[in-house]
Amino acid sequence: MARSDEQPSGDLAARLSATRALTLDLAAPLSDADATIQPHPDASPAKWHLAHTTWFFETFILRDHVAGYRLHDERWPYLFNSYYEGEGERHARPRRGMLSRPSLDEIREWRRAVDEALAAALPGLPPEAVGLVELGIQHEQQHQELFLTDLLASLAENPLEPAYGELDPAPCFAVEPLSWIDGRQGLVDIGAAAAGFAFDCERPRHKALLHPHRIASRCVTNGEWAEFVADGGYDNPSLWLSEGWDWVRREAIRGPLYWGEDETAFTLAGRRPIDRAAPVDHISYYEADAYARWAGARLPTETEWEDAFSSADPAIGHQLDRAGPVLPRPGGGPFGDAWQWTVSAYLPYPGFRPEEGTVGEYNGKFMCGQFVLKGASCATPRGHSRASYRNFFQPASRWQFTGVRLAQDG
Ligand SMILES: [Fe+2]
C-alpha cells in the first residue's frame, strides 16, 4: 500500500471521487434484480460489490480514524465483510445472492453518505489512514473488474442472453505474426520498488534467476485457439496435467467458457461472432498449460514476464476507461485485453511481510493453491496495473478475462 508518509492531496481526493463515481456508473443500467443475483459462489452480485467497497472505506477509515463516526447501519458489516476474520463473523459467500434487502437504492444512499463523510475527513486524516484511502481506491478498482466479470457470469445464466450494453463491431484486423523475444539471463530484480503504491504481495523487490528463454510477442488469439480445438486439443489426455484432464472430463469442457455454436461467444454485449484476431480469454490455467504443450511451448514464469515487460507503459492497452461492456481486442500490448497465466505459484516473496492490522488479510492468506497472472485485462481500470502486479486465481477459474502468452526455453 501507499507509504505512511503520504499526505492527503487534491490528487488523492480526485482519484477517490472518480473511482467511486465509476462504480456507480457501472451499475447505472442495472435493475435491482440484475444487481442482486449471484451466478455461482465465486462471483458476487453487483449490489454486493457496491456495498462491500463501501464497507471497506467505512470500516477501515471512517470507523477506525474519524472520531465520533457512527456506522450507517450497524447490521450491514455482517453482510458485506468479505473474508476479514479480524472483523468477525459474516454472511456466507455462496449466499450473497439471497440478499434482496437492503435494496440497490439503499446501498446507493449508503455510498453517498460514506463518500460525503470521506470527503469531509480526508484533509484531517492521519498518515496511516491516508495510506488506507489509497488501498481503498485500489481495492475498489479490483472490484470494478470483478463487477464486470461477475455480471457477465450472471447474464450468461439467462437463456435470453441479455446484453449489458452495446459495443462497436470488431474492426477488421490482421493477426500480428507471432515473434519471440529473447529474454535476459542471470540475476534480475523483480517486485515493486519501495516508493509508490503496490500491494504487499509485490514486495520486497528481490533477486530472481532467469534461465535462457524467450517470450511471445503477443497473446494467443481466438483463431489459434480454434485450431487447438479442431485438432482435438480437448480430447487428447497427453496434452493435459492430470488435474486438468480430470477437470475437462468432469466438467465436459469443450472450449473457452463463453464459446458457443457457430463460432460465436457470449459477451457483455450479447452473443457475437468470435473475433479470431483478438486474444483468447476465459480460459483456465489447465487449458493455458495444455495449449502451450500442444504448441511446443510452455507458460512463462512470473519473473520472465515481469522482466520482459518492466519497461512497457502499463497505462497503454485495451483497459477500462468508462462504464460499459468490454471485450479483448486485437492489436493490444502486454497490459490489457486478457490477464496472462504464468506457471508460477502465488507464493510470498523472500522477506514478505503482510500489512499491519486486519488489512494484512488482504493478500497473504491466499498464498496456497493459486497461480500468478500478469498484465491487465479489458476490464482492469486504466492506471491500476503495473509490471510487478500479481493477480492470482485457482487453476480451474476462468470467469475472469484470462488468456495466455507463451514462452519457450532458450
Ligand atoms: Fe474486497
Side-chain angles (χ1 to χ4, degrees), residues 369-386:
Q370 315 217 40
F371 288 86
V372 172
L373 299 103
K374 300 293 279 185
S377 87
C378 53
T380 308
R382 193 178 304 283
H384 180 70
S385 198
R386 57 199 156 264

Side-chain angles (χ1 to χ4, degrees), residues 322-335:
R322 63 191 68 82
V326 292
L327 194 63
R329 299 288 191 162
F335 295 92

Side-chain angles (χ1 to χ4, degrees), residues 212-282:
H213 71 282
R214 40 189 179 262
I215 192 162
S217 59
R218 60 160 171 79
C219 288
V220 172
T221 63
N222 286 316
E224 289 164 336
W225 200 272
E227 291 172 30
F228 170 66
V229 175
D231 195 41
Y234 286 90
D235 300 311
N236 182 354
S238 67
L239 296 173
W240 293 81
L241 294 165
S242 172
E243 258 185 43
W245 184 243
D246 288 348
W247 172 78
V248 161
R249 291 175 48 103
R250 187 175 63 246
E251 307 285 335
I253 305 291
R254 304 300 303 162
L257 178 57
Y258 296 117
W259 280 24
E261 304 293 318
D262 305 325
E263 299 189 15
T264 63
F266 184 68
T267 74
L268 284 164
R271 182 160 296 281
R272 289 165 63 98
I274 291 168
D275 183 348
R276 294 176 68 90
V280 69
D281 63 342
H282 301 298

Side-chain angles (χ1 to χ4, degrees), residues 102-227:
S103 69
L104 183 54
D105 279 345
E106 287 174 300
I107 299 299
R108 287 196 179 108
E109 175 54 27
W110 185 25
R111 289 183 67 90
R112 194 197 56 71
V114 164
D115 287 348
E116 243 177 54
L118 278 173
L122 208 54
L125 284 179
E128 66 272 19
V130 174
L132 288 166
V133 172
E134 180 64 51
L135 184 65
I137 292 171
Q138 303 283 337
H139 172 251
E140 184 140 349
Q141 289 182 319
Q142 290 183 316
H143 277 276
Q144 288 166 347
E145 176 152 10
L146 293 169
F147 178 105
L148 287 169
T149 53
D150 294 357
L151 178 63
L152 175 58
S154 288
L155 296 173
E157 287 295 320
N158 188 330
L160 301 183
E161 300 192 322
Y164 170 54
E166 291 184 3
L167 271 175
D168 296 336
C172 244
F173 224 101
V175 179
E176 173 196 339
L178 188 145
S179 60
W180 294 95
I181 304 163
D182 284 325
R184 295 199 297 168
Q185 297 177 40
L187 280 179
V188 297
D189 293 303
I190 70 158
F197 179 86
F199 289 108
D200 54 6
C201 62
E202 299 169 57
R203 293 193 169 110
R205 192 161 169 83
H206 63 282
K207 299 281 180 204
L209 182 61
L210 285 176
H211 297 280
H213 71 282
R214 40 189 179 262
I215 192 162
S217 59
R218 60 160 171 79
C219 288
V220 172
T221 63
N222 286 316
E224 289 164 336
W225 200 272
E227 291 172 30

